[in-house]
Structure formats: structure tokens, C-alpha cells
Amino acid sequence: MLELKNISKIFNPGTEDEKKALDNITTTIKDGDFISIIGANGAGKSTLFNAICGSFLTDSGSIILNGRDITMLPEYKRAKSIGRLFQDPMKGSAPNMSIEENLALAAGKGGWLSSVSKADKDTFREKLSLLGMGLENRMKQQVGLLSGGQRQALTLLMATVNAPELLLLDEHTAALDPATAEKVLEITKNTVAEKHITCLMITHNMQSALDLGNRTIMMNHGRIIFDTEGAERKKLTVQDLLTQFKKAAGEDLDNDRMLLS
């Protein structure tokens, strides 16, 4: 379970560039939740992920992960419990290392194949085969030679090879073509469900925000302005989300990327 209590963050305080990026956010993410997060550019979605990961210290509030206060914990120590995928497929894997070496690194083997047993390699091959991309037959190939979709699927596998306590997906399919994005989303759903991983996923696609997972959160100007799950969520349409945005924000949603998706 992840608890966020009164999380706030102001960048460049006291200057003309001052920006309140997170505004007193309080919410609880239950074990096994798969939450879709939507909002326009600058709503605070990625900033919230950065706060959870420890990319910066918040100005106030606390972050509790499975009963442990990680508010002041350095980012590299949080990384042992928190997996994250970015929008850019080039992040999250080492391009000059092979697929096998990347998986060894993710599995805690230090990237050294000498420390990987035959059983480990068989496990890697089995997990790669589940991606349906033929990567199990290319384990010696450098990751930098893979397509964006293949790298993103591999990065997802790396982030979950040792199931994290929390998985953060930061628009991880946005840079992919529609067909590949759909495939990676399907792999995501299956992986999260199979390993019962608690997951937060940022998306710009409002229909996906209603279709994927069990809960939808809408952000605006660093605040959570709408939070829905269960039977209420199942009845919602994209138009309902737009109506809720206007009701909570006091203005129409003006974001071409979200509206056109």
C-alpha cells in the first residue's frame, strides 16, 4: 500500500518562475490497485512520480510505502522497491549490452553472465517468449538494435523480473505506433495481473484511462480533482470525464493531445 499525505512541492520559490507543482496531495493506493492517471501538460503527473521515486524531496508531507516512511530515502534506495518506465523507449535499458545482460542486471546479477545460471537463462528465455516478439531467440543481440516497442517491452520485463512493490508507468506507450502501443499495453495488463503488482499509469488517452485498471485519477495544477473506481467508474464515458474536469477545474479541458486521442 502507498500512502501520500499532504504532499506539496514548489519549484523556484520566491522568484518570478515560482511554480506550485504539487498542491497538498493526499491519497491511498491499495495493494493490487492499477490506477490510470490523466491530466493536461503541467498537471503534475510526472512530478508526482518523481516525488514518489525520490527524484527530489518534497517541501511537506510524507510518503509511506507498505508501512515504511520513505519520504527522506534517497532515490537509489527507493529503486529497489519501485519500478518505473518512461515515455522514451531509449530509457530503462543499456543499449550496448545484450538482452541477456540487461535481464541479468535487472535480476540483480550485476549484468555479469558468469553469475547467471542455466536455470536463470531458461527463465529469461521463457519470460521473453511471453512477450510474443521473438526476443527469446535474440538474447545475445545488443538492445540498441531493437525497435522502440521491443525495447519498451523488454524494459517492462526488466522492471518486473523481480516484482516491485510499486510500478510507475509514465506514458510508456506514447512514443510507439498504435499497433505496437496496443501490444505493449496488453503485455502490461497481463504482467501486472499475473504478479499482482500495485501500479500507477499516466496516460493521455481518456478512453484508456477508463478501460485499464480499476481506478482513474484526474489531476490539474498539482491537485487531484477527480478520483473514481468501482461501479461509478464503469458507467463513465469520455464525455463524463470532460464534464467532471470542467466541474472541478472551473474551465473546459483545453489539451489537443488528450482531446484528439
Side-chain angles (χ1 to χ4, degrees):
M1 181 169 68
L2 177 69
E3 298 175 86
L4 305 177
K5 301 179 180 179
N6 307 114
I7 295 296
S8 292
K9 180 64 180 180
I10 297 176
F11 291 111
N12 305 310
T15 73
E16 61 181 16
D17 295 323
E18 179 175 306
K19 177 178 175 56
K20 181 174 283 189
L22 298 175
D23 187 2
N24 200 40
I25 288 182
T26 296
T27 191
T28 297
I29 291 89
K30 301 183 292 293
D31 288 341
D33 266 352
F34 185 165
I35 301 177
S36 299
I37 302 177
I38 54 174
N41 292 340
K45 307 181 299 298
S46 293
T47 305
L48 178 62
F49 276 17
N50 287 336
I52 294 171
C53 287
S55 300
F56 55 77
L57 296 180
T58 56
D59 297 330
S60 61
S62 57
I63 303 170
I64 313 295
L65 180 61
N66 290 330
R68 306 189 317 275
D69 189 334
I70 63 171
T71 310
M72 303 301 293
L73 201 66
E75 184 173 18
Y76 75 93
K77 289 189 176 181
R78 299 191 204 191
K80 297 178 181 179
S81 304
I82 301 173
R84 185 175 184 180
L85 268 72
F86 296 88
Q87 179 176 332
D88 186 354
M90 302 303 108
K91 293 183 177 180
S93 56
N96 295 323
M97 295 172 69
S98 69
I99 293 174
E100 190 176 35
E101 289 170 327
N102 271 267
L103 286 171
L105 184 63
K109 307 292 183 178
W112 299 105
L113 295 184
S114 58
S115 63
V116 178
S117 67
K118 181 180 183 303
D120 290 328
K121 293 181 181 181
D122 289 342
T123 298
F124 294 163
R125 188 171 288 105
E126 179 184 356
K127 292 182 180 298
L128 285 167
S129 69
L130 296 176
L131 301 179
M133 294 180 168
L135 297 182
E136 67 275 14
N137 300 317
R138 302 165 63 184
M139 289 177 59
K140 300 295 184 182
Q141 184 170 348
Q142 283 190 347
V143 168
L145 300 177
L146 302 181
S147 68
Q150 290 170 332
R151 283 189 69 166
Q152 202 67 314
L154 175 62
T155 302
L156 176 62
L157 180 55
M158 291 171 61
T160 58
V161 66
N162 294 323
E165 295 179 50
L166 179 67
L167 179 63
L168 304 180
L169 306 174
D170 195 346
E171 292 199 76
H172 69 305
T173 63
L176 308 178
D177 65 83
T180 305
E182 185 175 347
K183 185 174 184 63
V184 172
L185 278 178
E186 188 65 27
I187 294 169
T188 300
K189 288 191 295 182
N190 293 339
T191 302
V192 169
E194 175 193 347
K195 299 195 174 186
H196 195 66
I197 298 172
T198 303
C199 178
L200 301 178
M201 182 186 75
I202 294 173
T203 178
H204 65 272
N205 188 305
M206 289 188 284
Q207 189 59 57
S208 291
L210 293 174
D211 292 340
L212 296 173
N214 65 298
R215 182 174 163 194
T216 300
I217 285 176
M218 180 182 288
M219 293 185 65
N220 189 50
H221 295 313
R223 295 181 295 113
I224 294 176
I225 61 173
F226 184 59
D227 187 346
T228 181
E229 59 183 324
E232 174 189 319
R233 179 178 183 261
K234 289 181 180 179
K235 296 185 296 184
L236 293 178
T237 65
V238 169
Q239 185 55 52
D240 292 329
L241 287 181
L242 293 172
T243 301
Q244 288 291 341
F245 181 90
K246 184 174 183 178
K247 179 180 178 181
E251 59 185 3
D252 289 323
L253 177 65
D254 183 18
N255 185 276
D256 288 343
R257 188 180 181 195
M258 292 177 66
L259 294 173
L260 291 175
S261 68

